[in-house]
Coordinates of all heavy atoms in Angstrom, one line a residue:
M13 N 26.2 -7.3 6.1 CA 25.2 -6.9 7.0 C 24.0 -6.2 6.1 O 24.2 -5.5 5.2 CB 25.8 -5.7 7.9 CG 24.8 -5.3 9.0 SD 25.7 -4.3 10.2 CE 25.1 -2.7 9.6
T14 N 22.8 -6.7 6.5 CA 21.7 -6.3 5.8 C 20.8 -5.4 6.7 O 20.4 -5.7 7.8 CB 20.8 -7.5 5.3 OG1 21.7 -8.3 4.5 CG2 19.7 -7.0 4.4
D15 N 20.4 -4.3 6.1 CA 19.5 -3.4 6.8 C 18.1 -3.6 6.3 O 17.7 -3.2 5.3 CB 19.9 -2.0 6.6 CG 19.1 -1.0 7.4 OD1 18.1 -1.5 8.1 OD2 19.3 0.2 7.3
H16 N 17.3 -4.3 7.0 CA 15.9 -4.7 6.6 C 15.0 -3.5 6.6 O 13.9 -3.5 6.0 CB 15.3 -5.8 7.4 CG 16.0 -7.1 7.1 ND1 15.9 -7.9 6.1 CD2 16.9 -7.9 7.9 CE1 16.7 -9.0 6.1 NE2 17.3 -8.9 7.3
A17 N 15.4 -2.4 7.3 CA 14.5 -1.3 7.4 C 14.7 -0.4 6.3 O 13.8 0.5 6.1 CB 14.8 -0.6 8.7
T18 N 15.7 -0.6 5.5 CA 15.9 0.4 4.3 C 15.8 -0.5 3.0 O 16.7 -1.3 2.8 CB 17.3 1.0 4.4 OG1 17.3 1.7 5.7 CG2 17.5 2.0 3.3
P19 N 14.8 0.0 2.2 CA 14.8 -0.8 0.9 C 15.9 -0.4 0.0 O 16.4 0.8 0.0 CB 13.4 -0.2 0.3 CG 13.2 1.1 1.0 CD 13.8 1.0 2.3
L20 N 16.4 -1.4 -0.7 CA 17.6 -1.1 -1.6 C 17.1 -0.3 -2.9 O 17.9 0.3 -3.4 CB 18.3 -2.4 -1.9 CG 18.9 -3.1 -0.7 CD1 19.6 -4.3 -1.2 CD2 19.9 -2.2 0.0
I21 N 15.9 -0.6 -3.3 CA 15.4 0.1 -4.4 C 14.0 0.7 -4.1 O 13.3 0.3 -3.2 CB 15.2 -0.9 -5.7 CG1 14.3 -2.0 -5.3 CG2 16.6 -1.4 -6.0 CD1 13.9 -2.8 -6.6
L22 N 13.7 1.7 -4.8 CA 12.5 2.3 -4.6 C 12.1 3.0 -6.0 O 12.9 3.2 -6.9 CB 12.5 3.4 -3.6 CG 13.3 4.7 -3.8 CD1 12.8 5.8 -3.0 CD2 14.8 4.5 -3.6
N23 N 10.8 3.4 -6.0 CA 10.4 4.1 -7.3 C 10.4 5.6 -7.0 O 10.0 6.1 -5.9 CB 8.9 3.7 -7.6 CG 8.8 2.3 -8.0 OD1 8.5 1.4 -7.3 ND2 9.2 2.0 -9.3
C24 N 10.9 6.3 -7.9 CA 11.0 7.8 -7.8 C 9.7 8.3 -7.5 O 8.6 7.9 -8.1 CB 11.6 8.4 -9.1 SG 11.5 10.2 -9.2
R25 N 9.5 9.2 -6.5 CA 8.3 9.8 -6.2 C 7.7 10.7 -7.1 O 6.5 11.1 -7.1 CB 8.4 10.4 -4.8 CG 8.7 9.4 -3.7 CD 8.7 10.0 -2.4 NE 7.4 10.5 -2.0 CZ 7.0 10.9 -0.7 NH1 8.0 10.9 0.2 NH2 5.8 11.3 -0.4
R26 N 8.6 11.1 -8.1 CA 8.1 12.1 -9.1 C 7.8 11.4 -10.5 O 6.8 11.6 -11.0 CB 9.3 13.1 -9.3 CG 8.9 14.2 -10.3 CD 7.8 15.1 -9.8 NE 7.2 15.8 -10.8 CZ 6.1 16.6 -10.7 NH1 5.6 16.7 -9.5 NH2 5.6 17.2 -11.7
C27 N 8.7 10.5 -10.9 CA 8.4 9.9 -12.2 C 8.2 8.5 -12.2 O 7.8 7.9 -13.2 CB 9.6 10.2 -13.1 SG 11.1 9.4 -12.7
G28 N 8.4 7.9 -11.0 CA 8.1 6.5 -10.9 C 9.3 5.5 -11.3 O 9.1 4.2 -11.2
Q29 N 10.3 6.2 -11.8 CA 11.5 5.3 -12.2 C 12.1 4.6 -11.1 O 12.3 5.2 -10.0 CB 12.5 6.2 -13.0 CG 13.7 5.4 -13.5 CD 14.5 6.4 -14.4 OE1 14.1 7.1 -15.2 NE2 15.8 6.4 -14.0
V30 N 12.5 3.4 -11.3 CA 13.1 2.6 -10.3 C 14.5 3.2 -10.0 O 15.2 3.4 -11.0 CB 13.2 1.1 -10.7 CG1 14.0 0.4 -9.5 CG2 11.8 0.5 -10.8
T31 N 14.8 3.4 -8.7 CA 16.1 4.0 -8.4 C 16.6 3.4 -7.2 O 15.9 2.6 -6.5 CB 16.0 5.5 -8.2 OG1 17.3 6.1 -8.0 CG2 15.2 5.9 -7.0
T32 N 17.8 3.6 -6.8 CA 18.3 3.0 -5.6 C 18.3 3.9 -4.4 O 18.4 5.2 -4.6 CB 19.9 2.6 -5.8 OG1 20.5 3.7 -6.2 CG2 19.9 1.5 -7.0
W33 N 18.2 3.4 -3.3 CA 18.2 4.1 -2.1 C 19.6 4.5 -1.6 O 19.9 5.6 -1.3 CB 17.5 3.4 -1.0 CG 17.3 4.2 0.3 CD1 18.2 4.2 1.4 CD2 16.3 5.1 0.6 NE1 17.7 5.1 2.3 CE2 16.6 5.6 1.9 CE3 15.1 5.6 -0.1 CZ2 15.7 6.6 2.6 CZ3 14.3 6.5 0.6 CH2 14.7 6.9 1.8
Q34 N 20.5 3.5 -1.7 CA 21.8 3.8 -1.2 C 22.6 4.6 -2.3 O 22.3 4.5 -3.5 CB 22.6 2.4 -1.0 CG 21.9 1.7 0.2 CD 22.6 0.4 0.5 OE1 23.1 -0.3 -0.5 NE2 22.8 0.1 1.7
N35 N 23.5 5.4 -1.8 CA 24.3 6.2 -2.7 C 23.5 7.1 -3.6 O 23.8 7.3 -4.8 CB 25.2 5.3 -3.6 CG 26.2 4.5 -2.7 OD1 26.7 4.9 -1.7 ND2 26.4 3.2 -3.0
N36 N 22.3 7.4 -3.1 CA 21.4 8.3 -3.9 C 21.0 9.5 -3.1 O 20.2 9.6 -2.3 CB 20.1 7.5 -4.3 CG 19.2 8.4 -5.0 OD1 19.5 9.5 -5.4 ND2 17.9 7.9 -5.3
P37 N 21.8 10.6 -3.3 CA 21.5 11.8 -2.6 C 20.2 12.5 -2.8 O 19.8 13.3 -2.1 CB 22.7 12.8 -2.9 CG 23.1 12.3 -4.3 CD 22.9 10.8 -4.3
S38 N 19.6 12.0 -3.9 CA 18.3 12.7 -4.3 C 17.1 11.9 -3.8 O 16.0 12.2 -4.2 CB 18.3 12.8 -5.8 OG 19.3 13.6 -6.3
R39 N 17.3 10.8 -3.1 CA 16.2 10.0 -2.7 C 15.2 10.8 -1.9 O 15.7 11.8 -1.3 CB 16.8 8.8 -1.8 CG 17.4 9.3 -0.5 CD 18.3 8.2 0.1 NE 18.7 8.6 1.4 CZ 19.8 8.1 2.0 NH1 20.4 7.1 1.4 NH2 20.1 8.5 3.2
P40 N 14.0 10.5 -1.9 CA 13.3 9.4 -2.6 C 13.1 9.6 -4.1 O 12.2 9.0 -4.7 CB 12.1 9.2 -1.9 CG 11.7 10.6 -1.5 CD 12.9 11.3 -1.3
F41 N 13.9 10.5 -4.7 CA 13.7 10.6 -6.1 C 14.9 10.0 -6.9 O 15.8 9.6 -6.3 CB 13.7 12.1 -6.4 CG 12.6 12.9 -5.7 CD1 12.9 13.5 -4.5 CD2 11.3 12.8 -6.1 CE1 12.0 14.2 -3.7 CE2 10.3 13.5 -5.3 CZ 10.7 14.2 -4.1
C42 N 14.7 9.8 -8.2 CA 15.7 9.1 -9.0 C 16.9 10.1 -9.3 O 17.9 9.6 -9.6 CB 15.1 8.6 -10.3 SG 14.6 9.8 -11.5
S43 N 16.6 11.4 -9.2 CA 17.6 12.3 -9.6 C 17.4 13.7 -8.9 O 16.3 13.9 -8.4 CB 17.7 12.5 -11.1 OG 16.5 13.0 -11.5
E44 N 18.5 14.5 -9.0 CA 18.3 15.7 -8.4 C 17.2 16.6 -9.2 O 16.5 17.4 -8.6 CB 19.7 16.5 -8.5 CG 19.7 17.9 -7.8 CD 19.6 17.8 -6.3 OE1 19.8 16.7 -5.8 OE2 19.3 18.8 -5.7
R45 N 17.1 16.3 -10.4 CA 16.1 17.0 -11.2 C 14.7 16.7 -10.8 O 14.0 17.6 -10.6 CB 16.4 16.5 -12.7 CG 15.4 17.2 -13.7 CD 15.7 16.8 -15.1 NE 14.8 17.5 -16.1 CZ 14.9 17.3 -17.3 NH1 15.8 16.6 -17.8 NH2 14.1 18.0 -18.1
C46 N 14.4 15.4 -10.6 CA 13.1 15.0 -10.1 C 12.9 15.6 -8.8 O 11.8 16.2 -8.4 CB 12.9 13.6 -10.1 SG 12.5 12.8 -11.6
K47 N 13.8 15.7 -7.9 CA 13.7 16.3 -6.5 C 13.3 17.7 -6.7 O 12.5 18.2 -6.0 CB 15.1 16.0 -5.8 CG 15.1 16.6 -4.5 CD 16.5 16.4 -3.8 CE 16.5 17.0 -2.4 NZ 17.8 16.7 -1.8
L48 N 14.1 18.4 -7.5 CA 13.8 19.9 -7.6 C 12.5 20.2 -8.3 O 11.7 21.1 -7.8 CB 14.9 20.5 -8.5 CG 16.3 20.6 -7.8 CD1 17.3 21.1 -8.8 CD2 16.3 21.3 -6.5
I49 N 12.0 19.3 -9.3 CA 10.7 19.5 -9.8 C 9.7 19.2 -8.8 O 8.7 20.1 -8.7 CB 10.6 18.4 -10.9 CG1 11.5 18.9 -12.1 CG2 9.1 18.4 -11.4 CD1 11.5 17.8 -13.3
D50 N 9.9 18.2 -7.9 CA 8.9 18.0 -7.0 C 8.8 19.0 -5.9 O 7.7 19.6 -5.6 CB 9.2 16.6 -6.3 CG 8.0 16.1 -5.5 OD1 7.1 15.6 -6.2 OD2 8.0 16.3 -4.4
L51 N 9.9 19.5 -5.5 CA 9.9 20.6 -4.5 C 9.4 21.9 -5.0 O 8.7 22.6 -4.4 CB 11.4 20.8 -4.0 CG 12.0 19.6 -3.2 CD1 13.4 19.9 -2.8 CD2 11.1 19.3 -1.9
G52 N 9.7 22.1 -6.3 CA 9.2 23.3 -7.0 C 7.7 23.2 -7.1 O 7.0 24.2 -7.0
A53 N 7.2 22.1 -7.4 CA 5.7 21.9 -7.5 C 5.0 22.2 -6.1 O 4.0 22.9 -6.1 CB 5.4 20.5 -8.0
W54 N 5.6 21.8 -5.1 CA 5.1 22.1 -3.8 C 5.2 23.6 -3.5 O 4.2 24.2 -3.1 CB 5.9 21.4 -2.7 CG 5.5 20.0 -2.5 CD1 6.1 18.9 -2.9 CD2 4.3 19.6 -1.8 NE1 5.4 17.8 -2.5 CE2 4.3 18.2 -1.8 CE3 3.2 20.2 -1.2 CZ2 3.2 17.4 -1.2 CZ3 2.2 19.5 -0.6 CH2 2.2 18.1 -0.6
A55 N 6.3 24.2 -3.9 CA 6.4 25.7 -3.6 C 5.5 26.5 -4.4 O 5.0 27.5 -4.0 CB 7.9 26.0 -4.0
S56 N 5.1 26.1 -5.6 CA 4.2 26.8 -6.4 C 2.7 26.4 -6.1 O 1.8 26.8 -6.9 CB 4.6 26.7 -7.8 OG 4.4 25.3 -8.3
E57 N 2.6 25.5 -5.2 CA 1.3 25.1 -4.8 C 0.5 24.3 -5.9 O -0.7 24.5 -6.1 CB 0.4 26.3 -4.2 CG 1.1 26.9 -3.1 CD 0.2 28.0 -2.5 OE1 -1.0 28.1 -2.9 OE2 0.7 28.8 -1.7
Q58 N 1.2 23.6 -6.7 CA 0.6 22.8 -7.7 C -0.1 21.6 -7.1 O -1.1 21.0 -7.5 CB 1.6 22.3 -8.7 CG 2.0 23.5 -9.7 CD 3.0 22.9 -10.7 OE1 3.0 21.9 -11.0 NE2 3.7 23.9 -11.3
Y59 N 0.5 21.3 -5.9 CA -0.1 20.2 -5.1 C -1.1 20.9 -4.1 O -0.7 21.4 -3.1 CB 0.9 19.4 -4.4 CG 1.7 18.5 -5.2 CD1 3.0 18.4 -5.2 CD2 1.0 17.7 -6.1 CE1 3.8 17.5 -6.0 CE2 1.8 16.8 -6.9 CZ 3.1 16.7 -6.9 OH 3.8 15.9 -7.6
T60 N -2.3 20.8 -4.4 CA -3.3 21.3 -3.4 C -4.0 20.1 -2.8 O -4.3 19.1 -3.5 CB -4.4 22.3 -4.2 OG1 -4.9 21.6 -5.2 CG2 -3.6 23.5 -4.6
I61 N -4.3 20.2 -1.6 CA -4.9 19.1 -0.9 C -6.4 19.1 -1.4 O -7.1 20.1 -1.2 CB -4.9 19.2 0.6 CG1 -3.4 19.2 1.1 CG2 -5.6 18.1 1.3 CD1 -3.2 19.5 2.5
P62 N -6.8 18.0 -2.1 CA -8.2 18.1 -2.6 C -9.2 18.1 -1.4 O -9.0 17.4 -0.4 CB -8.3 16.7 -3.3 CG -7.2 15.9 -2.8 CD -6.1 16.8 -2.3
L63 N -10.2 18.9 -1.6 CA -11.2 19.0 -0.5 C -12.0 17.7 -0.4 O -12.2 17.0 -1.4 CB -12.2 20.1 -0.8 CG -11.5 21.5 -0.8 CD1 -12.6 22.5 -1.2 CD2 -11.0 21.9 0.6
A64 N -12.3 17.4 0.8 CA -13.1 16.1 1.0 C -14.5 16.3 0.4 O -14.9 17.4 0.3 CB -13.2 15.8 2.5
E65 N -15.0 15.2 0.1 CA -16.3 15.3 -0.5 C -17.3 15.9 0.6 O -17.1 15.7 1.8 CB -16.9 13.9 -1.0 CG -16.0 13.4 -2.1 CD -16.6 12.0 -2.5 OE1 -17.7 11.6 -2.1 OE2 -15.9 11.3 -3.4
A66 N -18.3 16.5 0.1 CA -19.3 17.1 1.0 C -19.8 16.1 2.0 O -20.2 15.1 1.6 CB -20.3 17.8 0.3
P67 N -19.7 16.5 3.3 CA -20.2 15.6 4.3 C -21.7 15.3 4.0 O -22.5 16.2 3.6 CB -20.0 16.3 5.6 CG -19.0 17.3 5.3 CD -19.2 17.7 3.9
A68 N -22.2 14.1 4.3 CA -23.5 13.6 4.0 C -24.5 14.5 4.7 O -25.6 14.7 4.3 CB -23.7 12.2 4.3
H69 N -24.1 15.0 5.9 CA -25.1 15.7 6.8 C -25.6 16.9 6.2 O -26.7 17.5 6.5 CB -24.6 15.8 8.2 CG -23.5 16.9 8.3 ND1 -22.2 16.6 8.2 CD2 -23.6 18.2 8.4 CE1 -21.5 17.7 8.3 NE2 -22.3 18.7 8.5
I70 N -24.8 17.5 5.3 CA -25.2 18.8 4.6 C -26.6 18.6 3.9 O -27.4 19.4 3.9 CB -24.1 19.3 3.7 CG1 -23.0 19.8 4.5 CG2 -24.7 20.4 2.8 CD1 -21.9 20.3 3.7
E71 N -26.7 17.4 3.3 CA -27.9 17.2 2.6 C -29.2 17.2 3.4 O -30.3 17.5 3.0 CB -27.8 15.8 1.9 CG -26.7 15.8 0.9 CD -26.6 14.4 0.3 OE1 -27.5 13.5 0.5 OE2 -25.7 14.1 -0.5
A72 N -29.0 16.9 4.7 CA -30.1 16.9 5.6 C -30.5 18.2 6.2 O -31.6 18.4 6.6 CB -29.7 15.9 6.8
E73 N -29.6 19.2 5.9 CA -30.0 20.6 6.3 C -31.2 21.2 5.6 O -31.8 22.0 6.1 CB -28.8 21.5 6.2 CG -27.6 21.1 7.2 CD -26.5 22.0 7.0 OE1 -26.6 22.9 6.2 OE2 -25.5 21.8 7.8
N74 N -31.3 20.6 4.3 CA -32.4 21.2 3.5 C -33.7 20.5 3.7 O -34.3 20.0 2.8 CB -32.0 21.1 2.0 CG -32.8 21.9 1.2 OD1 -33.5 22.8 1.6 ND2 -32.8 21.6 -0.2
D75 N -34.0 20.4 4.9 CA -35.3 19.7 5.3 C -36.5 20.6 5.3 O -36.6 21.6 5.9 CB -35.1 19.1 6.8 CG -36.2 18.2 7.1 OD1 -36.9 17.7 6.2 OD2 -36.5 18.0 8.3
Ligands
ZN76 ZN1 12.4 10.6 -11.2

């Protein structure tokens, strides 16, 4: 039986290493280590959402 909805392999979201989806408790990471690193990065706000570029209309305000 094949589950087309679930990829059998994926790239670790932290280091990019190819890992398996099945039998992988750390998915979508390759290992518990990468999972913890990634979660830790979020917790420490190393991932900040980059501000969008200044809207073009701001330039028009200086008329
Ligand atoms: Zn990894």
Side-chain angles (χ1 to χ4, degrees):
M13 187 169 102
T14 303
D15 183 0
H16 292 287
T18 304
L20 297 178
I21 61 173
L22 71 157
N23 291 97
C24 173
R25 296 184 65 172
R26 182 66 198 173
C27 70
Q29 181 174 310
V30 175
T31 185
T32 58
W33 182 267
Q34 293 183 322
N35 300 322
N36 178 10
S38 301
R39 67 197 183 199
F41 305 98
C42 69
S43 64
E44 185 70 14
R45 182 176 181 177
C46 276
K47 180 180 178 180
L48 292 176
I49 290 173
D50 195 79
L51 293 177
W54 276 103
S56 61
E57 298 183 16
Q58 289 181 18
Y59 284 135
T60 54
I61 300 174
L63 295 176
E65 294 184 11
H69 71 266
I70 287 180
E71 297 179 6
E73 292 181 0
N74 194 19
D75 187 22

